[in-house]
Amino acid sequence: MAAPLRLPVSGVRLGIDRVAIARFNELLTQAHFMQRVFTDAEREHIARAAQPAATAAGLFAAKEAVSKVLGIGLGEAGLSNLEIRHTRRGAPVVVLCGRARERAALLGMISIAVSITHEQEVAMAVAMGAESNSFVPSRTGLHLNRELDLSLLRRDRQGYKTQYGRVAIIGGSRGMAGSVAMAAQAALRTGSGLVTAVVPAGIGEVVENKLLEGMVVGVADDGAGHFNLDSLPGILAVAEGCDAVAIGPGIGRTPDMKNLVSALLRHCAQRVVLDADGLNALQGDREVLREAAGTVALTPHEMEMSRLTGLPVEAVRADRVGVATLFAADTGTFVVLKGADTVITNGELHYLNATGNPGMATAGAGDVLAGMATSLLGYGYPVMTALRLGCYMHGLAGDLAKREVGEDGMIASDLIAQIPAVYRLLHAVRADQEKGEPDAEGSAG
């Protein structure tokens, strides 16, 4: 097997392979070969194809190309560990597991894209893998990401509050007012100039007492402190004046919630973060996401991802990258699958976040992330950058909180309290990088 071609651009690997289609006219009839070489999903894809031999040849070439990117033989990778799946629109997606995934992790591979083409009697595939050594242990003892550190936008000396993002946090219900308040507070701490909590009128006063710097708008509710369809006009009136919105923190599960969330997604043209019970409201309904008016980022944990996909939690956990990537590709969304090594994907590229610790497995931590991500989206960062930066900073806030309170006693408000320290650290690191100095000692306190 030829060695993978390395492009002059640092951190990129290229693999190319070509296969004669005629070879597969006979191989398709050999059950042992088909079962050994192709996964169940790949065989089903071949069986549905108008030209099975050409399709099989293309898949085989893609597997070979990806194995060259990984620098290992196809047999060494394990044929079932290297799968080429397809999105609803037919685009190929690389999914790794087992030995192949371990090899990708060893290389620091953050994404592998593949393209398949057919010309007369030949199928060809090109795979490109992007490596990243951005995450490095610093003298601070934290894992820092040089790329994301440098992506931080500088605030304008003559800037004004609306320049830094107008965001709305849509959520809250009787008994869960704290969720929307924490998400709003996290958005403020992350730098948004104007933050509005849009809540059921019945809990408006409670949220006002919790949220001093943000605005609170109470909209029509069911009379018991929960949103219903009557809430829609009031919510949209606020959302229309915003750059980004979050839907879901503390929103609860009521009979009207599915119809309300669906209507919001179809009418809200802003950047949207869909979290918590906003996700649960769409259980099993992907079409709503495909029809969304704006750009949608979903932030599920594994149980919520299970509800969205219909897969068992164990299946989600076993293939976090594959499940998240395919769901994002199929629905045209961004997915942030939370957990250890949070997966951030747009259906084509995926990234893993290295910051954070087990102490962050606490009620409200997801609300904080939703607020931080919404803030960065409202500020105007590119969507993928905003989501990656939000997860990175959220994890760093948890790592700094661990130093002060430990893992066992950490609560969500500890994360919000550390956001300013995260900014101080990252700006110090960035300043040192721009001066060409090694990693900053960076006082994080």
Side-chain angles (χ1 to χ4, degrees):
M1 182 187 70
L5 172 64
R6 281 189 175 274
L7 298 180
V9 180
S10 176
V12 176
R13 286 179 168 229
L14 187 68
I16 303 174
D17 197 70
R18 64 197 302 271
V19 174
I21 295 174
R23 288 177 53 195
F24 283 84
N25 287 321
E26 180 181 349
L27 291 173
L28 287 177
T29 66
Q30 300 179 14
H32 175 70
F33 171 83
M34 294 297 292
Q35 291 176 0
R36 182 173 62 86
V37 173
F38 298 110
T39 65
D40 291 344
E42 289 169 337
R43 291 197 301 274
E44 291 175 5
H45 181 74
I46 293 168
R48 293 193 303 267
Q51 299 181 46
T55 300
L59 290 178
F60 188 85
K63 285 173 174 273
E64 282 280 17
V66 173
S67 73
K68 291 174 181 177
V69 167
L70 296 175
I72 53 179
L74 193 54
E76 185 182 356
L79 295 170
S80 62
N81 291 333
L82 200 164
E83 185 175 43
I84 308 299
R85 300 185 188 174
H86 289 78
T87 69
R88 185 171 59 93
R89 296 179 176 85
V93 176
V94 179
V95 177
L96 305 178
C97 60
R99 173 80 175 99
R101 180 186 290 178
E102 292 172 2
R103 176 64 177 172
L106 181 65
L107 294 173
M109 196 75 64
I110 57 176
S111 65
I112 301 178
V114 66
S115 177
I116 303 172
T117 188
H118 300 83
E119 185 174 348
Q120 296 180 343
E121 300 177 354
V122 175
M124 293 187 61
V126 177
M128 185 174 68
E131 296 174 337
S132 174
N133 59 355
S134 292
F135 274 105
V136 293
S138 71
R139 295 197 301 248
T140 64
L142 302 169
H143 278 78
L144 301 178
N145 186 311
R146 291 168 177 157
E147 175 195 353
L148 292 177
D149 295 342
L150 292 173
S151 74
L152 283 179
L153 297 175
R154 290 185 173 91
R155 293 175 80 91
D156 186 350
R157 179 180 176 84
Q158 298 180 350
Y160 44 91
K161 57 189 176 185
T162 55
Q163 182 176 333
Y164 301 114
R166 299 162 297 181
V167 307
I169 311 296
I170 302 164
S173 59
R174 185 77 65 189
M176 292 192 289
S179 296
V180 66
M182 279 196 296
Q185 190 68 38
L188 285 164
R189 280 296 189 191
T190 307
S192 291
L194 288 171
V195 177
T196 303
V198 185
V199 302
I203 66 167
E205 186 174 347
V206 175
V207 178
E208 284 181 351
N209 289 333
K210 292 178 175 291
L211 188 64
L212 301 181
E213 293 88 352
M215 296 179 289
V216 179
V217 174
V219 300
D221 61 13
D222 63 358
H226 298 85
F227 288 129
N228 62 8
L229 286 175
D230 292 336
S231 312
L232 181 61
I235 295 173
L236 289 176
V238 177
E240 287 172 0
C242 293
D243 302 300
V245 303
I247 302 172
I251 206 169
R253 302 188 195 186
T254 59
D256 278 349
M257 201 54 62
K258 177 179 174 61
N259 291 332
L260 177 63
V261 172
S262 298
L264 285 172
L265 291 176
R266 288 190 171 104
H267 289 89
C268 187
Q270 285 70 26
R271 293 173 162 187
V272 175
V273 172
L274 193 61
D275 185 51
D277 281 332
L279 295 166
N280 293 325
L282 299 185
Q283 181 173 337
D285 189 354
R286 301 188 182 201
E287 198 59 36
V288 173
L289 295 169
R290 295 172 186 144
E291 296 173 355
T295 301
V296 179
L298 297 85
T299 56
H301 52 58
E302 289 175 354
M303 179 62 77
E304 291 163 341
M305 196 77 226
S306 172
R307 297 187 188 112
L308 287 168
T309 60
L311 296 171
V313 175
E314 294 75 15
V316 174
R317 185 168 298 139
D319 188 14
R320 287 169 51 83
V321 171
V323 170
T325 299
L326 286 175
F327 189 87
D330 183 53
T331 56
T333 61
F334 291 75
V335 173
V336 176
L337 180 53
K338 296 180 291 194
D341 296 323
T342 290
V343 180
I344 307 113
T345 178
N346 63 356
E348 296 179 1
L349 302 176
H350 75 266
Y351 300 88
L352 302 180
N353 183 63
T355 59
N357 61 81
M360 298 171 69
T362 183
D367 300 318
V368 174
L369 176 60
M372 295 178 72
T374 307
S375 176
L376 295 167
L377 288 169
Y379 198 160
Y381 285 90
V383 177
M384 183 65 88
T385 301
L387 298 176
R388 292 179 63 202
L389 189 58
C391 293
Y392 173 55
M393 294 177 62
H394 182 253
L396 282 175
D399 291 337
L400 294 178
K402 176 182 175 180
R403 294 181 172 184
E404 291 197 5
V405 301
E407 291 183 354
D408 297 321
M410 192 183 303
I411 58 176
S413 57
D414 294 328
L415 306 181
I416 297 173
Q418 292 295 340
I419 294 173
V422 170
Y423 270 122
R424 289 197 299 273
L425 171 63
L426 298 191
H427 281 302
V429 171
R430 175 178 179 150
D432 282 351
Q433 289 188 66
E434 290 175 342
K435 291 187 293 186
E437 297 180 4
D439 300 320
E441 291 289 350
S443 173

